[in-house]
Amino acid sequence: MPFRVLATDRVSKKGLAPLREDDRFDVVLIKDSSDPEFASGLKTAAGLIVRSATRVDSSLLDGAPGLKVVGRAGVGVDNIDLAAASERGVAVMNAPSGNTISAAELTMALMLAVARRVTVADRSIRQGRWERSRLQGVELRGKTLGVIGAGRIGWEVAQRCRAFGMEVIVYDPYLAAERVDELHPKLVPLDRLIESADIITLHVPLNSETRGLIGEGTLARMKKGAFVLNVSRGGVVDEAALARALNEGRIAGAGLDVYEHEPLSPDSPLLDAPNVVLTPHLGASTKEAQIQVALEVARKVRTALAQGDLSSAVNASDVANAAGLS
Ligand SMILES: NC(=O)c1ccc[n+]([C@@H]2O[C@H](COP(=O)([O-])OP(=O)(O)OC[C@H]3O[C@@H](n4cnc5c(N)ncnc54)[C@H](O)[C@@H]3O)[C@@H](O)[C@H]2O)c1
């Protein structure tokens, strides 16, 4: 009997090829998890692949007695109750690298839009104005980019900015040794980065160390006229403090894709702050990224079901504990 794998939330069909083209799997695509067929399919499913819309909680898991693995086509697993999955011995796998290039390219788009006031200029021209001198921008060439978090995305952004003739400095206390060797001359302490970068770009996870990393104190120490970009996670930037710094002209612009509360509230002070470019969490929203994340997770689900290899699960040790294996 092939392993039945249910895929929902419009996961890329093309990206599911590793499972669809393998006789050991029977892949069932159901657009929306509210479809009654989804609940009936779950009863016999060994694998489930979701994006962010389906909430994988205890009640869903209780309806899937044979489930061994949940794959999340994307990075965050906020829509999956990890504790409930671990208790039931269900491995949870994500796809952290499939959207790296898309997120790095969106960072470049925000950087250029802020530097050349693209969205402000677009609004102005639609309002019947022709404001060439008011909309003067700055070049990226020769500017110092401060990358906070030089993992997959931060690294790709750094490479692209070098091609723009920028000086790149990096703060990342957890970089792997090879990366440190490679970057050594450019690796700087956080204080130095904050004080010397013209553009600061954030590519860190959200945790107790990074929450509010860009807040009143750090904003006060930035160069006058600096820009801040955040395509990482909301909460890393204190939005009220950033809006104040922009309104007071201490910071010249910001580009944000992620927010403490999503969707962004219509009352957010960022909406009235000058030279801010806002996008609604679009970092991974490209055709290519959606295929890549589905491919990445489909391969992991294949290995997990066909070979029993759960080592790439985000809850691998908890699942092993639940099974009494460690
Ligand atoms: N906007 C989007 O749609 C989108 C898309 C993909 C990823 N992301 C987010 O972007 C962020 C980066 O993703 P990634 O794939 O590059 O992750 P990654 O794990 O490859 O890199 C994160 C880097 O941050 C570093 N880091 C951790 N704590 C730090 C700290 N306190 N100070 C400085 N550096 C620190 C780590 O050492 C690591 O090198 C994540 O938060 C991810 O969730 C957002």
Side-chain angles (χ1 to χ4, degrees):
M1 274 274 281
F3 295 104
R4 168 159 293 187
V5 178
L6 233 57
T8 187
D9 299 343
R10 297 172 193 265
V11 172
S12 158
K13 197 170 167 186
K14 205 164 166 185
L16 294 174
L19 295 166
R20 290 171 56 232
E21 291 168 3
D22 187 324
D23 293 342
R24 294 172 297 176
F25 300 93
D26 167 26
V27 180
V28 182
L29 284 143
I30 299 174
K31 273 188 197 152
D32 190 324
S33 55
S34 61
D35 186 325
E37 274 184 43
F38 179 77
S40 65
L42 269 181
K43 290 182 187 142
T44 53
L48 168 66
I49 299 184
V50 299
R51 286 173 63 200
S52 54
T54 297
R55 290 213 63 76
V56 181
D57 52 17
S58 17
S59 86
L60 181 149
L61 292 165
D62 287 341
L67 200 64
K68 298 273 175 293
V69 54
V70 175
R72 154 77 169 105
V75 192
V77 286
D78 320 352
N79 56 319
I80 299 169
D81 183 338
L82 285 182
S86 303
E87 264 169 37
R88 292 161 178 80
V90 176
V92 177
M93 294 171 172
N94 65 346
S97 53
N99 49 30
T100 299
I101 301 300
S102 292
E105 289 187 0
L106 182 70
T107 308
M108 297 310 297
L110 292 177
M111 194 183 306
L112 287 161
V114 173
R116 301 306 295 274
R117 318 198 69 184
V118 174
T119 53
V120 183
D122 178 82
R123 275 196 299 275
S124 154
I125 207 166
R126 285 171 200 279
Q127 287 161 359
R129 296 202 287 269
W130 193 257
E131 304 182 287
R132 298 188 60 225
S133 52
R134 187 178 79 89
L135 295 174
Q136 191 181 55
V138 292
E139 284 189 354
L140 296 184
R141 181 185 55 168
K143 298 293 184 301
T144 299
L145 175 79
V147 180
I148 303 187
R152 285 175 290 257
I153 300 169
W155 181 256
E156 293 295 336
V157 170
Q159 305 280 71
R160 281 155 181 73
C161 287
R162 285 207 183 97
F164 273 84
M166 299 176 79
E167 168 88 10
V168 180
I169 56 175
V170 161
Y171 168 70
D172 187 330
Y174 309 110
L175 268 192
E178 325 76 85
R179 278 279 160 99
V180 175
D181 288 346
E182 224 174 311
L183 280 169
H184 186 64
K186 310 283 181 195
L187 204 56
V188 298
L190 181 61
D191 284 351
R192 200 174 127 204
L193 184 146
I194 297 288
E195 285 159 19
S196 52
D198 297 296
I199 300 174
I200 293 181
T201 187
L202 297 156
H203 301 288
V204 289
L206 176 65
N207 55 37
S208 56
E209 241 178 59
T210 60
R211 183 173 289 283
L213 187 73
I214 299 298
E216 207 63 70
T218 30
L219 286 160
R221 284 187 287 124
M222 280 180 203
K223 269 179 152 176
K224 187 167 161 55
F227 299 153
V228 175
L229 305 171
N230 188 15
V231 179
S232 64
R233 279 287 176 259
V236 176
V237 171
D238 175 338
E239 293 169 7
L242 176 64
R244 273 194 298 278
L246 286 158
N247 284 322
E248 289 165 14
R250 289 182 276 133
I251 298 294
L256 307 173
D257 185 47
V258 288
Y259 310 91
E260 183 144 24
H261 301 290
E262 297 182 7
L264 186 66
S265 157
D267 302 328
S268 167
L270 290 168
L271 295 170
D272 298 320
N275 205 23
V276 185
V277 182
L278 306 171
T279 49
H281 206 142
L282 295 182
S285 296
T286 62
K287 278 186 200 163
E288 292 83 355
Q290 289 312 312
I291 295 171
Q292 286 306 322
V293 292
L295 271 174
E296 193 177 343
V297 87
R299 289 190 187 114
K300 287 186 180 177
V301 168
R302 180 179 62 188
T303 310
L305 291 177
Q307 290 158 32
D309 177 357
L310 306 183
S311 56
S312 66
V314 296
N315 60 345
S317 57
D318 294 336
V319 171
N321 282 339
L325 299 177
S326 63

